[in-house]
Amino acid sequence: MSRSVRTRLLPAIIAFALCLPFAQAQNVELPDMGSSAGSLLSPEEESRYGARMLYELRRVDMVLEDALLDDYIHALGYRLVALSERPEQEFTFFVVRSDEINAFAAPGGYVGINVGLMHTAESESEVAAVLAHEVAHVTQRHLVRAYESMQKATLPIALAMLGAILASRNTSGDGTEAAVIGGMGLLQQQAINFTRHNEYEADRIGIFTLAKAGFDPEAMAGFFARMGRATRSNSSVEVPEFLRTHPVTASRITEAKNRVEAIRRNPPAVTESAANEARFRLMRERAHVLTSSEPAKLVDTYRRELRNADAAHVASLRYGLALALLRSGQAKAALGELDVLLKDAPNDLAFQIPRAEAQRLAGDAAGALAQLEALADVAPDHRAVQLAYADALNATGQKANGQRAMAVLRPIVAKYGADPTTQATFARACELAGEDARALEAHAEVALYTGRPYDAMEQLKRLLERPGVDYYQRARVEARVEELKPYMAELERQRIRREDQDS
Ligand SMILES: [Zn+2]
């Protein structure tokens, strides 16, 4: 398929998004399936479709790539998955760069949570409540069931969902809008038809998972009620997306409360601790600062909030302040705030990693490197630490340090090969070390995981034509090309289908 076809499709995606509010799209959550009508998705297909959605989101820079936050949301999600109806199901949790209060699930256990939702939540249990709800959509196979009923619709569903997210950033439409409007009625109706039953089931099962995992089961009702009040009390306030997809009705809150009563009679072991809550607050501010377009403004906000903060919030607000200072180029001031935080928690890597970065930016690159080397020694499996250390090594521009960074990252690449940040850092290390062929391989992986599969394939094939590729690398790259062929064939099939639909 030519490049022009791909570019021609983009306006259609955006136009489609404009006339399809996320309210409907969220519950559709399904890609355009290439298989024949009536056949169920295999777990492999489900996971391929979900992965593709994640890669596409990365392509438009909607995924917050941060190893510390990734680890946090993964651990939080898996506390729920372990006690869900299908603990063996694989899940991928990720943080989405969007201020909308929303979360969503896609086939294959891909669950995205928006920064906006994290930022609005007042406790870890509230975030967990939403995650438990999304996990239940996956474990109850709502997506697969929805797929069966959606097969009659001929529109590219996955792109509808993705496009709706895109629309929140891109408001330019064009003439193709009219072409897709025809299918809208059908799509909306179908989405709404399976929504209510599935939503209640996700609530019901989610709340039990939440309680079993030791979170506050009232968080779900509380969060919904609070969002509902905020919406009603001020009609000019835009309705949060999660409410549009999950309308808060009195009965929904009552049911959630009744279920809590039932759980209360047989209380599970509550493992929620003050430490978890403190960690949540730190990560909430981290997500907020890392996605802010105006970190300098946040500096003022945090300073003001710190003056009146109660004891429980001082550390997280100071952490937000430190990161906002760091992001707005005030490294020395950031260093000061991080040192205050480290007095109470000298071993906290969430403080130590940005401290080393602040140290480097403040002019002490050698000190920062030594600090990160010490951290890397004590935390050999910690992705965020190893990435920060490798970054600092790469920043020296020295060949020997590139070789060192390669060695440091090899076990991380083996474990987190599907993480584009890890692959990109490894690629830079390879270049510095003079291992150009190995760098190209890593660049191809970056392309694949950031939604550029054609580039990835091209790069791998070009690599095979290069002289000086050793036997082992050649075998590895040839195997990778073979591995990707079914995926590429699937993309081709779907492009052809979409081209037919557009014309
Ligand atoms: Zn739902």
Side-chain angles (χ1 to χ4, degrees):
M1 188 76 38
S2 73
R3 203 168 272 274
S4 68
V5 171
R6 272 180 274 157
T7 39
R8 195 162 67 73
L9 287 168
L10 195 63
I13 297 166
I14 292 164
F16 190 28
L18 286 174
C19 55
L20 178 67
F22 203 80
Q24 278 78 38
Q26 196 258 353
N27 291 295
V28 177
E29 297 166 332
L30 288 160
D32 179 36
M33 313 300 179
S35 51
S36 62
S39 70
L40 273 171
L41 283 179
S42 70
E44 292 74 29
E45 282 174 311
E46 271 192 67
S47 117
R48 267 210 310 277
Y49 292 134
R52 223 179 101 196
M53 181 214 58
L54 174 59
Y55 306 160
E56 292 280 312
L57 284 175
R58 284 199 187 120
R59 192 170 56 81
V60 293
D61 195 27
M62 290 294 288
V63 178
L64 177 52
E65 309 285 357
D66 179 68
L68 280 174
L69 268 164
D70 252 17
D71 288 350
Y72 171 74
I73 207 74
H74 176 88
L76 180 61
Y78 264 86
R79 276 169 71 189
L80 297 160
V81 170
L83 293 154
S84 73
E85 309 276 296
R86 279 168 62 203
E88 75 287 356
Q89 161 87 45
E90 208 176 302
F91 275 84
T92 305
F93 297 93
F94 57 97
V95 181
V96 179
R97 290 175 172 275
S98 167
D99 293 336
E100 300 281 350
I101 301 171
N102 209 358
F104 55 90
Y110 286 79
V111 175
I113 174 163
N114 287 3
V115 172
L117 190 138
M118 269 186 96
H119 189 58
T120 310
E122 286 180 0
S123 70
E124 188 174 54
S125 287
E126 291 188 346
V127 173
V130 173
L131 288 181
H133 175 99
E134 299 301 334
V135 164
H137 275 316
V138 175
T139 61
Q140 300 317 109
R141 308 194 71 90
H142 291 161
L143 307 166
V144 175
R145 283 184 225 159
Y147 161 62
E148 289 172 355
S149 67
M150 288 310 294
Q151 282 223 318
K152 292 167 205 120
T154 54
L155 291 164
I157 310 303
L159 294 178
M161 182 184 73
L162 174 62
I165 301 166
L166 271 173
S168 68
R169 291 193 146 191
N170 191 339
T171 48
S172 69
D174 82 0
T176 47
E177 187 165 359
V180 286
I181 270 175
M184 292 308 304
L186 173 70
L187 197 63
Q188 290 185 0
Q189 211 183 337
Q190 293 217 16
I192 289 162
N193 280 349
F194 62 68
T195 291
R196 284 200 192 105
H197 175 253
N198 287 357
E199 291 306 337
Y200 274 108
E201 191 174 48
D203 272 1
R204 183 169 58 76
I205 289 168
I207 208 165
F208 276 105
T209 305
L210 191 67
K212 271 192 283 183
F215 294 99
D216 174 10
E218 283 195 61
M220 191 179 276
F223 196 27
F224 287 168
R226 193 150 49 77
M227 286 199 293
R229 269 198 306 278
T231 311
R232 270 193 304 277
S233 63
N234 184 354
S235 58
S236 71
V237 169
E238 215 192 322
V239 181
E241 288 299 336
F242 195 79
L243 280 192
R244 276 188 228 156
T245 38
H246 301 82
V248 175
T249 58
S251 74
R252 195 162 173 219
I253 295 171
T254 310
E255 283 197 28
K257 283 193 170 150
N258 290 344
R259 285 194 285 272
V260 171
E261 284 310 310
I263 292 166
R264 280 276 148 75
R265 275 174 243 133
N266 293 302
V270 172
T271 56
E272 195 188 12
S273 68
N276 283 344
E277 215 48 50
R279 178 69 25 191
F280 162 70
R281 288 193 206 105
L282 292 175
M283 290 301 119
R284 179 179 60 187
E285 299 316 321
R286 185 175 178 84
H288 185 52
V289 176
L290 293 188
T291 53
S292 167
S293 54
E294 291 175 304
K297 269 194 185 164
L298 283 183
V299 168
D300 298 335
T301 314
Y302 280 122
R303 284 215 167 105
R304 204 167 47 241
E305 285 176 5
L306 260 174
R307 266 180 238 128
N308 311 309
D310 56 76
H313 291 89
V314 167
S316 58
L317 292 172
R318 192 179 301 286
Y319 188 51
L321 172 61
L323 297 178
L325 284 165
L326 191 57
R327 275 205 65 205
S328 52
Q330 305 176 64
K332 276 204 174 119
L335 213 50
E337 300 299 338
L338 288 162
D339 280 338
V340 174
L341 289 166
L342 281 161
K343 260 184 215 152
D344 289 333
N347 298 318
D348 197 326
L349 293 170
F351 301 157
Q352 284 170 326
I353 295 169
R355 194 198 181 279
E357 196 193 340
Q359 199 177 355
R360 175 156 61 108
L361 294 174
D364 182 12
L369 191 59
Q371 188 60 34
L372 285 168
E373 186 176 0
L375 292 179
D377 275 346
V378 295
D381 301 327
H382 199 287
R383 178 170 45 148
V385 167
Q386 302 300 333
L387 282 175
Y389 180 39
D391 261 339
L393 286 166
N394 285 344
T396 65
Q398 292 167 14
K399 183 173 181 173
N401 281 339
Q403 288 165 337
R404 174 92 192 105
M406 275 183 77
V408 161
L409 286 177
R410 274 213 175 85
I412 304 295
V413 170
K415 194 173 169 196
Y416 299 97
D419 171 32
T421 307
T422 300
Q423 291 285 2
T425 312
F426 188 62
R428 277 198 297 280
C430 294
E431 280 161 6
L432 201 55
E435 305 257 1
D436 288 350
R438 187 64 192 83
L440 286 174
E441 206 181 324
H443 279 305
E445 297 295 318
V446 173
L448 178 70
Y449 295 122
T450 53
R452 294 179 290 118
Y454 291 87
D455 284 353
M457 203 61 163
E458 232 166 83
Q459 287 178 39
L460 290 174
K461 283 179 177 165
R462 234 184 296 138
L463 185 53
L464 289 173
E465 288 158 15
R466 265 174 78 104
V469 174
D470 70 31
Y471 172 81
Y472 296 101
Q473 186 176 17
R474 178 171 299 279
R476 197 170 57 229
V477 172
E478 279 170 354
R480 188 66 171 137
V481 168
E482 284 306 309
E483 200 176 20
L484 291 176
K485 271 183 182 163
Y487 179 72
M488 303 306 289
E490 188 177 278
L491 289 180
E492 289 299 321
R493 273 200 310 276
Q494 292 186 15
R495 280 182 205 291
I496 290 161
R497 280 165 58 92
R498 262 182 226 128
E499 193 183 17
D500 291 348
Q501 286 151 13
D502 286 347
S503 56

